[in-house]
Amino acid sequence: MGTGIFSAFILSFDSNKIKRYPTPAMSAITGYPVMADRTIREEEYYWIWQGRTGLSLYHPASEQISFASDFPNDTGKYHIIKCIEKCRIQPGIWAASGNACVVHLQHESMKMKCIQEIRIPDARQIRVLHEDDQGNLWIGTENAIYQYSISDGNMRRIHKDTGAINGIAISPDKAIYYITETLEFSCLPPDGQVHSIHKGENYSSIIISPDNKIWTATLEGNVYSYHPQLQTLAKEDNACNANGDAVKSMTVDNLGHLWILADQYVKEYNPKNHSFRILYNSDRFIQVDYFLSIGKIENGTICLGGIGAFCLATPSPELDQSPNDIKPVISSIKTDGNRRIMGIDTQLIELAPDNVNIELSFSTLEHLHAGQISYAYRLKGWDTNWNYLPPGINTAYFTKLPKGNYTLEIKATDIHGCWAQPVSCLQIHRLPAWYETWWAYTLGIISIILVMTGSLKLYFNRLHKKQKEQMEEQLTQMKFRFFTNISHELRTPLTLIITPLSSLLTDIQDSKLKQQLSSIYRNAQELLQLVNQLLDFRKLEVHGEKLQLMNGEIYEFVSSTCEVFGAYATNKQIEYSILLPRQGVHMYFDRDKVHRILYNLLNNAFKFTPPGGSITVSADTITQDGTQYICIRIEDTGKGIESEALSHIFDRYYQIDASENRQATAGSGIGLHIVKEYVSLHHGFIEVDSKRYKGSEFRIYLPTHLTDERLSPREERESKEAVSSNNRRTILLVEDNEEFRRFMYQQLSQEYQVWEASNGEEAETIANEKEVDIVVSDVMMPGIDGFELCHRLKQNVKTSHLFIILLTARTGDESILEGYKSGADCYLTKPFNMEILDNRIHHLLALQQKRKQIFLTEIEVNTEDLTTSKVDEEFLKKAVAFVEKNLDNNDYSVELFSDDMCMSRMNLYRKLQSITGQKPTEFIRSIRLKKAARLLTDTDLSIVEISEKVGFATPSYFSKCFKEMFGVLPTQYHK
């Protein structure tokens, strides 16, 4: 090492000699640099095989080169492949040809000649050639191993079905070790019993070292050693390529060192002490693009073939020496970006509390080969395992070390990778931060105790408050349950009072007594409303109330609800007006809850309006903040409400102070609260204006945009709605309001075939001309209303079988009774739940189907069980009678039958199909067969006699029809 004023430098030399042969003659002839895929030296000549030109012979001294193709009558007629091997007992080389033969080649000066040709039977490709010390040439093919005796020329196949052979090695005990393309490393001992040693990797090379161990390498970068005596396989970690580079080939030198070849470097490895050195393709003595081949020549030198040159490398005896006393030292320390150089004798360093990131650098002072030295370290007091660093890395990093004392231990390798015994130690003392001192810990513990005490106190205070609230809530719930139970108990006696009173009021003619009973009836109804109101309040308190939205005409509903107060207004001598727009509005709302809202507000209005006053109900459509509302106004000229009380009248249990005899009209304080809650459930709001002694005005705002998913047009159902319209049941929809009729059509047409009519006359015509199963009709219509339509259809023998469902906004008991008197099968009040209507339709159709099934299965025809009206009953009796009258007349046809029934064939067909599910011909045959069944069980007549009595032309046809209907032959039925 020398130093100068301005620089420092190191002088060195490489004691391991490497000789490079760039082969310029090859470049001059081919125009490409040499690519030594396989190189064999024979005295002063080199046999070189490369992919572009095949086999060539090179003489470095004279820079002469010749190719096998230069001698077309000799070596040129063979397609020499990469597989060549040095002859040990004779001059020349063994070379494999592409036509599955082996040739023995020699040369005279630069002329090649073929000495011998060996044909391999049953082989297509030769992959491996290996000559042992006993004068045998071992040949590995695509699926077998052959042994050729050089002395006597005897060829025999040693083993077959091996898979493609990648390498062969013969041990001194004559065991054959081989590797295959099928990822297998196997052994064939002299006894011939093959056993697999290892599987699962791509084996690329196999050799035997002087200590008789078998070594294999893989394309995964691993190197394994196999001990034949112990039969153990071990992975040599120091020999493996740490970065996973594929091992292309291996050889062993005279010192017992393994030479392990990769693309860009070759590793010389001493298995005894695990030391190694690495030669890179970019080293100044080598200078090749890639390594391609490796092999040992006769003097023990290693020949390295590559792109651009081949080189001869001398094995390194230094790998056999024990490492010197190498003791690493700390060269520098870097804390939070600040580096300082350490002295060689530094034994202790102190770290400030704010030193978070620590970087320690160490060195063996071997600067020339610093990149070949590896280090390992461990920090006692922090970890117990050694941390091994890659070669050339000499830095350890520590982050956020806790306070305390640590010992850093460092060891290093020599330049050949052997670990030295001496270990360097460095004491590290990390000073505590203020929060790591004893007084900080004490302060922290005291703070934690105070926080825990405060938290516990806060917790118990909240727990006490929560328990108190729970007790109050339980008490409130007990009150609610008590009043709810009482309310339920009151509903039964109230019902027993109201129901008989309703009957008495209908029958009593004495006006004075009727007036008294009417007063009792009205007050009982009001008491029932109060009981229901209390139950509603209970539901609101437990959040059990939900909207049951239905589509209906809101003005019609408001009108029908408010009309019931007309008689009450007359009795109290109050002017009562209902002013609603003529143009209806269909929207979704909860019928029951809107009814309760109107009832409560009107009840309060009548309660506080004196005789001679007035009450007006009006409504219109308004838009506020982009939302359309229906505004319902209830105005009265009653006593009014004080301005101070207006903000509290919707509060629960709030009652206006009793004064001026208001005790007589004081309520429970929950009616207006329920009103506000029901309006809020509709996403609406309520306003009130009032002046003392002038009256009040309540305004209810209900949004028109509410929707219910249950009422939206339904998707096609899986099976029953997939059938064609010809097979669907038919509904006649009668509604004078076009918008509501369109809505109903959308709902019903998803499942049924729907006929539409806008009035009663049109509906009656359609019912007489079309096949209809059910009529769904409004009640209030111009001309023929729903009641009259129902009456006409039920009295007409052509349509009396139709099921009729009436829809109306009239909710009074008188209207419901009138509907059922007119013959309706079902009566629903608007607005109604579409699911309920759908269910009623399904139920009526199922009932119809059940009656048809009864007719088909029962022997006796009971007309009362099969019909729903007197008209249909008389029709069916008449039809059965005419058929039974003509039982023995086999010419009794449908035409005669329709003439007897005084009906057209089409009307007769529709009528019988609706009641019995059978066509007229089927109906006649069915009555005949039912009579035959009775004769079979009640008489001893023969089958022939019975068939004649019931009008069948032949007994065989009678038996066939009988079996189709009853499932057995007449003879079997008789038994």
Side-chain angles (χ1 to χ4, degrees):
M1 177 175 180
T3 60
I5 298 176
F6 300 106
S7 62
F9 56 92
I10 297 174
L11 296 177
S12 66
F13 65 96
D14 196 328
S15 60
N16 297 295
K17 294 181 180 180
I18 298 175
K19 189 171 183 180
R20 181 174 184 271
Y21 293 89
T23 320
M26 181 72 73
S27 302
I29 295 173
T30 64
Y32 298 101
V34 67
M35 298 179 65
D37 290 299
R38 186 79 171 90
T39 306
I40 297 175
R41 190 172 83 167
E42 186 180 10
E43 296 179 350
E44 296 179 358
Y45 293 85
Y46 290 88
W47 298 86
I48 301 174
W49 188 94
Q50 57 181 2
R52 287 195 181 97
T53 59
L55 185 65
S56 59
L57 183 65
Y58 174 60
H59 186 241
S62 62
E63 278 299 320
Q64 290 182 333
I65 191 166
S66 62
F67 299 92
S69 58
D70 293 341
F71 313 100
N73 296 325
D74 199 337
T75 57
K77 64 182 179 180
Y78 298 103
H79 176 59
I80 307 298
I81 61 176
K82 183 180 178 181
C83 183
I84 60 177
E85 175 75 2
K86 178 79 168 64
C87 291
R88 298 191 181 187
I89 61 177
Q90 296 179 9
I93 63 171
W94 299 102
S97 174
N99 56 357
C101 72
V102 179
V103 292
H104 181 196
L105 302 180
Q106 293 181 355
H107 70 93
E108 292 179 0
S109 182
M110 297 301 297
K111 180 181 179 181
M112 300 183 196
K113 61 182 178 178
C114 178
I115 305 300
Q116 182 183 7
E117 178 183 316
I118 306 170
R119 290 287 175 178
I120 311 298
D122 303 326
R124 296 192 306 272
Q125 180 186 16
I126 298 175
R127 297 175 59 87
V128 176
L129 294 175
H130 173 73
E131 184 179 334
D132 63 16
D133 296 333
Q134 308 300 321
N136 296 313
L137 178 64
W138 297 87
I139 305 167
T141 69
E142 77 283 351
N143 200 30
I145 297 175
Y146 295 84
Q147 180 189 25
Y148 175 75
S149 176
I150 300 174
S151 59
D152 58 15
N154 183 33
M155 171 76 72
R156 66 190 184 101
R157 185 171 64 187
I158 301 299
H159 187 45
K160 66 177 181 177
D161 299 329
T162 58
I165 302 296
N166 281 351
I168 300 175
I170 311 300
S171 65
D173 61 356
K174 298 183 180 181
I176 304 170
Y177 295 89
Y178 63 92
I179 55 177
T180 68
E181 194 75 21
T182 55
L183 314 182
E184 189 168 5
F185 169 30
S186 304
C187 173
L188 177 62
D191 60 9
Q193 295 296 322
V194 177
H195 67 272
S196 177
I197 298 173
H198 190 235
K199 293 181 179 181
E201 294 192 53
N202 292 284
Y203 295 98
S204 58
S205 182
I206 181 170
I207 58 173
I208 297 180
S209 61
D211 59 359
N212 294 329
K213 284 186 179 181
I214 290 82
W215 295 81
T216 60
T218 71
L219 296 181
E220 286 79 11
N222 297 322
V223 176
Y224 297 93
S225 64
Y226 177 71
H227 198 296
Q229 285 73 29
L230 301 178
Q231 294 187 353
T232 56
L233 182 74
K235 182 179 179 180
E236 298 287 336
D237 291 330
N238 280 13
C240 296
N241 291 337
N243 55 2
D245 288 340
V247 178
K248 302 174 71 172
S249 184
M250 279 195 314
T251 190
V252 61
D253 61 25
N254 294 338
L255 300 177
H257 299 172
L258 267 65
W259 291 74
I260 302 163
L261 186 72
D263 274 334
Q264 297 185 353
Y265 56 88
V266 61
K267 180 187 291 186
E268 181 184 1
Y269 172 67
N270 185 354
K272 296 178 182 177
N273 59 12
H274 307 295
S275 60
F276 61 87
R277 69 161 176 159
I278 297 178
L279 302 177
Y280 291 94
N281 64 326
S282 58
D283 288 350
R284 65 183 185 277
F285 299 107
I286 298 177
Q287 295 295 313
V288 296
D289 291 340
Y290 292 99
F291 286 119
L292 298 176
S293 62
I294 188 170
K296 184 182 71 170
I297 59 180
E298 61 270 11
N299 62 355
T301 303
I302 302 300
C303 181
L304 303 173
I307 299 177
F310 66 89
C311 305
L312 301 181
T314 303
S316 176
E318 291 83 356
L319 294 180
D320 295 321
Q321 300 174 3
S322 299
N324 298 324
D325 293 336
I326 300 171
K327 189 173 183 180
V329 297
I330 303 297
S331 59
S332 66
I333 181 172
K334 184 178 180 181
T335 57
D336 299 325
N338 300 317
R339 181 182 297 276
R340 57 188 170 126
I341 305 300
M342 307 298 294
I344 295 178
D345 299 327
T346 301
Q347 300 295 324
L348 172 68
I349 58 173
E350 282 192 351
L351 300 175
D354 57 348
N355 293 149
V356 177
N357 300 308
I358 303 165
E359 178 183 323
L360 290 169
S361 299
F362 20 82
S363 174
T364 60
L365 305 180
E366 176 62 63
H367 301 295
L368 179 61
H369 302 288
Q372 298 175 244
I373 297 174
S374 299
Y375 296 89
Y377 69 90
R378 67 178 174 182
L379 188 63
K380 283 189 174 182
W382 179 258
D383 55 20
T384 57
N385 298 322
W386 285 94
N387 299 286
Y388 291 89
L389 300 176
I393 303 300
N394 65 332
T395 304
Y397 300 90
F398 303 99
T399 302
K400 297 181 180 179
L401 279 179
K403 69 178 180 82
N405 296 312
Y406 304 92
T407 300
L408 177 64
E409 296 181 337
I410 310 168
K411 61 181 180 179
T413 67
D414 60 8
I415 62 173
H416 306 299
C418 294
W419 290 100
Q421 294 302 320
V423 176
S424 300
C425 297
L426 174 67
Q427 301 298 321
I428 300 176
H429 177 56
R430 201 298 210 147
L431 298 173
W434 67 268
Y435 51 82
E436 295 175 317
T437 58
W438 67 267
W439 54 267
Y441 290 148
T442 303
L443 182 61
I445 293 172
I446 293 173
S447 300
I448 292 173
I449 293 173
L450 291 175
V451 170
M452 290 181 64
T453 303
S455 300
L456 288 173
K457 185 176 180 180
L458 181 62
Y459 169 76
F460 285 115
N461 287 340
R462 290 183 176 178
L463 183 62
H464 177 71
K465 183 179 179 181
K466 184 177 181 181
Q467 290 175 343
K468 185 178 179 181
E469 291 175 351
Q470 288 177 346
M471 291 179 64
E472 292 177 354
E473 178 65 21
Q474 290 176 0
L475 182 60
T476 303
Q477 292 300 323
M478 289 175 63
K479 293 178 182 179
F480 284 151
R481 282 195 294 270
F482 171 75
F483 286 116
T484 302
N485 294 335
I486 291 295
S487 301
H488 279 291
E489 293 296 329
L490 288 174
R491 293 183 73 174
T492 301
L494 282 172
T495 303
L496 293 175
I497 293 172
I498 292 171
T499 304
L501 273 176
S502 177
S503 300
L504 286 173
L505 287 172
T506 305
D507 299 335
I508 289 178
Q509 303 299 324
D510 188 343
S511 60
K512 184 176 180 181
L513 180 58
K514 191 170 186 177
Q515 183 177 4
Q516 292 175 345
L517 291 177
S518 296
S519 177
I520 296 172
Y521 180 79
R522 185 172 59 254
N523 283 280
Q525 286 282 10
E526 185 171 349
L527 182 58
L528 181 61
Q529 289 292 337
L530 290 174
V531 170
N532 291 336
Q533 187 170 268
L534 186 59
L535 292 175
D536 294 340
F537 176 70
R538 164 66 175 162
K539 288 183 180 179
L540 284 172
E541 290 300 313
V542 297
H543 306 289
E545 280 284 18
K546 295 182 180 178
L547 288 180
Q548 300 296 327
L549 293 177
M550 305 176 187
N551 188 283
E553 207 285 286
I554 184 66
Y555 294 148
E556 183 182 10
F557 177 77
V558 172
S559 176
S560 62
T561 302
C562 296
E563 282 176 355
V564 299
F565 286 88
Y568 188 39
T570 303
N571 291 336
K572 288 197 65 175
Q573 298 179 356
I574 294 175
E575 183 182 349
Y576 182 48
S577 304
I578 302 174
L579 307 175
L580 299 174
R582 292 184 179 180
Q583 182 65 35
V585 175
H586 281 83
M587 56 181 283
Y588 290 102
F589 60 95
D590 189 317
R591 174 183 176 278
D592 184 62
K593 291 179 177 55
V594 174
H595 176 80
R596 298 289 179 86
I597 291 170
L598 296 174
Y599 181 87
N600 280 340
L601 292 178
L602 285 173
N603 191 46
N604 284 344
F606 280 102
K607 185 186 298 184
F608 294 107
T609 300
S614 65
I615 296 175
T616 303
V617 178
S618 61
D620 59 3
T621 304
I622 68 168
T623 301
Q624 185 171 329
D625 296 331
T627 302
Q628 188 179 55
Y629 293 91
I630 293 295
C631 178
I632 304 172
R633 297 178 179 85
I634 298 178
E635 305 173 64
D636 65 67
T637 58
K639 298 178 181 179
I641 305 170
E642 294 86 349
S643 57
E644 296 80 5
L646 285 177
S647 59
H648 302 288
I649 60 173
F650 296 111
D651 295 344
R652 185 175 59 181
Y653 305 132
Y654 181 79
Q655 292 177 287
I656 299 174
D657 294 338
S659 60
E660 301 182 15
N661 297 325
R662 290 178 66 93
Q663 300 94 324
T665 57
S668 60
I670 61 174
L672 289 179
H673 174 70
I674 291 177
V675 168
K676 183 175 184 297
E677 292 297 324
Y678 280 176
V679 173
S680 298
L681 281 175
H682 282 80
H683 303 287
F685 57 96
I686 185 171
E687 296 177 343
V688 59
D689 292 329
S690 182
K691 291 184 180 180
R692 194 74 170 109
Y693 306 115
K694 290 187 177 181
S696 304
E697 179 186 6
F698 286 84
R699 296 182 297 277
I700 305 110
Y701 296 87
L702 301 177
T704 61
H705 65 272
L706 292 181
T707 57
D708 188 348
E709 292 181 358
R710 298 172 302 174
L711 302 178
S712 61
R714 294 162 291 182
E715 297 180 357
E716 291 186 338
R717 298 181 181 176
E718 292 182 357
S719 58
K720 63 182 178 182
E721 295 184 10
V723 299
S724 64
S725 60
N726 293 331
N727 296 327
R728 295 193 294 179
R729 310 304 288 270
T730 304
I731 290 178
L732 173 57
L733 178 62
V734 190
E735 172 62 57
D736 61 328
N737 185 288
E738 183 179 356
E739 181 181 358
F740 187 67
R741 188 171 70 250
R742 189 182 309 114
F743 164 77
M744 290 291 293
Y745 179 84
Q746 291 175 350
Q747 298 298 311
L748 296 174
S749 62
Q750 300 292 325
E751 188 174 354
Y752 308 101
Q753 184 176 357
V754 181
W755 296 102
E756 295 183 75
S758 59
N759 54 61
E761 291 86 349
E762 185 180 350
E764 186 177 14
T765 301
I766 294 175
N768 281 285
E769 296 178 355
K770 304 291 184 181
E771 291 187 26
V772 177
D773 295 300
I774 293 180
V775 178
V776 179
S777 174
D778 188 19
V779 171
M780 303 299 294
M781 293 184 295
I784 299 178
D785 63 7
F787 294 144
E788 178 64 22
L789 175 64
C790 181
H791 179 74
R792 290 189 181 187
L793 294 178
K794 287 295 184 179
Q795 294 301 315
N796 186 348
V797 69
K798 297 180 181 179
T799 57
S800 59
H801 60 277
L802 301 180
F803 291 110
I804 300 177
I805 300 175
L806 293 180
L807 309 176
T808 181
R810 296 166 65 178
T811 60
D813 293 342
E814 297 83 0
S815 300
I816 297 174
L817 183 60
E818 184 180 356
Y820 284 116
K821 283 182 178 180
S822 65
D825 297 282
C826 180
Y827 190 94
L828 297 179
T829 58
K830 296 181 181 179
F832 56 87
N833 190 315
M834 195 65 201
E835 289 185 357
I836 295 177
L837 175 60
D838 194 47
N839 182 269
R840 293 303 302 157
I841 293 174
H842 277 284
H843 175 74
L844 292 174
L845 292 176
L847 181 61
Q848 184 187 59
Q849 190 63 31
K850 183 178 180 181
R851 288 171 176 167
K852 292 178 182 179
Q853 192 64 30
I854 291 174
F855 176 79
L856 292 175
T857 57
E858 295 293 332
I859 301 298
E860 296 292 337
V861 179
N862 190 342
T863 56
E864 292 182 0
D865 296 337
L866 300 175
T867 57
T868 58
S869 66
K870 286 293 182 182
V871 175
D872 288 347
E873 185 179 349
E874 293 298 326
F875 167 82
L876 189 58
K877 284 182 179 179
K878 186 178 177 182
V880 172
F882 278 122
V883 175
E884 289 182 343
K885 181 180 177 181
N886 294 276
L887 275 178
D888 57 352
N889 181 9
N890 56 13
D891 294 327
Y892 190 65
S893 63
V894 176
E895 288 79 6
L896 295 175
F897 185 33
S898 61
D899 290 342
D900 289 343
M901 295 297 295
C902 300
M903 298 179 72
S904 67
R905 290 188 60 182
M906 180 57 68
N907 287 332
L908 180 63
Y909 172 86
R910 292 175 184 168
K911 193 72 178 179
L912 287 175
Q913 184 73 22
S914 175
I915 296 176
T916 66
Q918 292 187 322
K919 303 173 184 177
T921 54
E922 295 172 343
F923 178 79
I924 295 173
R925 185 167 60 247
S926 177
I927 297 299
R928 292 180 188 274
L929 292 172
K930 288 178 185 287
K931 181 64 177 178
R934 291 197 298 271
L935 292 175
L936 284 170
T937 56
D938 298 340
T939 68
D940 294 329
L941 296 175
S942 66
I943 303 299
V944 175
E945 292 172 327
I946 292 175
S947 66
E948 292 177 354
K949 279 185 173 293
V950 295
F952 283 89
T954 62
S956 60
Y957 180 63
F958 166 69
S959 298
K960 177 184 176 183
C961 296
F962 192 92
K963 185 175 182 181
E964 287 178 356
M965 182 169 180
F966 296 105
V968 294
L969 292 171
T971 54
Q972 296 172 320
Y973 189 87
H974 179 67
K975 293 178 182 180

